[in-house]
Amino acid sequence: MADRPIAPEFTDADDDLMGVPTIGRRSQVVTPPAPPRATEGKRAWFAFIDPYLSAIAIMLIAIGGMMVYSTTFDWSFQDFGSSAAIFFNQFRWILVGVGIAFVLMLIDYRIWKRFAVPLLLAIIGVLLAVLLFSDFRFGARRAFLNGSYQPSELAELVLIIYMAAWLSAKNARLGSLVRGLLPFMTIVGTLALLVILQPDLS
């Protein structure tokens, strides 16, 4: 009686992965892949950084810093005795912003969808507080802490987060005027009106 052929151990998909056909051969012991090295883990940690986007951000920060210095050096010298005092104050806030950006890069962006509505309500409240309690400077009420913090800047980011969450949740209703366009116009119009009332059109 002829020997019964031994069934192959791997499937076709496994054969393609191994690169070696198994039909007609006896089963082989597959060596498991070696664990990734520490350098690969470090490389994967930096993989989420977009070099082109980072280069654009650095360029915009540099141009913004030059604009701040070129437009405030005389004012800074007259009020603070140094032509670069206002620039260095701006530079400190740039460092704070860069640090916060690195922290936020480590957070999964999908988590912000849960906080879209509370963030929107909070920023509306802060924009209302600006109109009532902020410092009156240059004929307008648009900032706290002697002009150091403008809530309208944060409102831009919050609006983007809310719009993204809103569009992803109501994508089937975007063609409706009542359920799609009107609520969207109301939300954006409310934030825009609060900013116009400050006024902060810079």
Side-chain angles (χ1 to χ4, degrees):
M1 182 176 180
D3 295 335
R4 296 179 60 186
I6 298 177
E9 183 178 349
F10 304 112
T11 63
D12 294 339
D14 294 329
D15 296 341
D16 295 337
L17 293 175
M18 295 296 297
V20 180
T22 58
I23 299 177
R25 298 188 293 106
R26 294 182 180 273
S27 61
Q28 298 179 353
V29 177
V30 180
T31 304
R37 299 179 180 179
T39 55
E40 295 179 359
K42 294 180 180 179
R43 195 181 306 116
W45 189 85
F46 288 102
F48 63 87
I49 299 179
D50 189 329
Y52 300 103
L53 184 60
S54 301
I56 293 174
I58 293 173
M59 181 179 64
L60 292 175
I61 291 173
I63 294 175
M66 290 189 295
M67 294 299 102
V68 169
Y69 179 77
S70 65
T71 56
T72 61
F73 68 91
D74 183 60
W75 170 27
S76 178
F77 182 78
Q78 293 181 11
D79 288 2
F80 303 101
S82 171
S83 60
I86 295 178
F87 169 77
F88 282 122
N89 181 64
Q90 180 73 11
F91 185 74
R92 285 193 293 270
W93 284 108
I94 289 174
L95 294 180
V96 172
V98 171
I100 294 174
F102 272 107
V103 173
L104 295 178
M105 289 167 63
L106 301 176
I107 301 175
D108 188 351
Y109 69 91
R110 298 176 185 87
I111 197 174
W112 296 110
K113 186 175 182 179
R114 306 177 185 174
F115 304 102
V117 174
L119 285 174
L120 180 68
L121 296 177
I123 199 61
I124 290 176
V126 174
L127 290 175
L128 289 173
V130 168
L131 299 175
L132 300 175
F133 309 110
S134 65
D135 305 320
F136 189 79
R137 295 168 61 89
F138 303 108
R141 292 184 178 274
R142 57 190 178 194
F144 293 112
L145 305 176
N146 295 323
S148 298
Y149 172 66
Q150 293 179 261
S152 58
E153 299 293 335
L154 182 61
E156 299 173 5
L157 177 61
V158 172
L159 181 60
I160 292 173
I161 293 174
Y162 183 83
M163 286 170 56
W166 187 86
L167 290 172
S168 65
K170 300 184 181 297
N171 53 0
R173 304 178 182 177
L174 296 181
S176 172
L177 177 63
V178 177
R179 297 183 178 182
L181 183 60
L182 290 181
F184 180 79
M185 292 175 59
T186 302
I187 295 167
V188 177
T190 300
L191 289 181
L193 178 62
L194 292 175
V195 172
I196 291 173
L197 292 176
Q198 295 179 15
D200 185 12
L201 306 181
S202 58

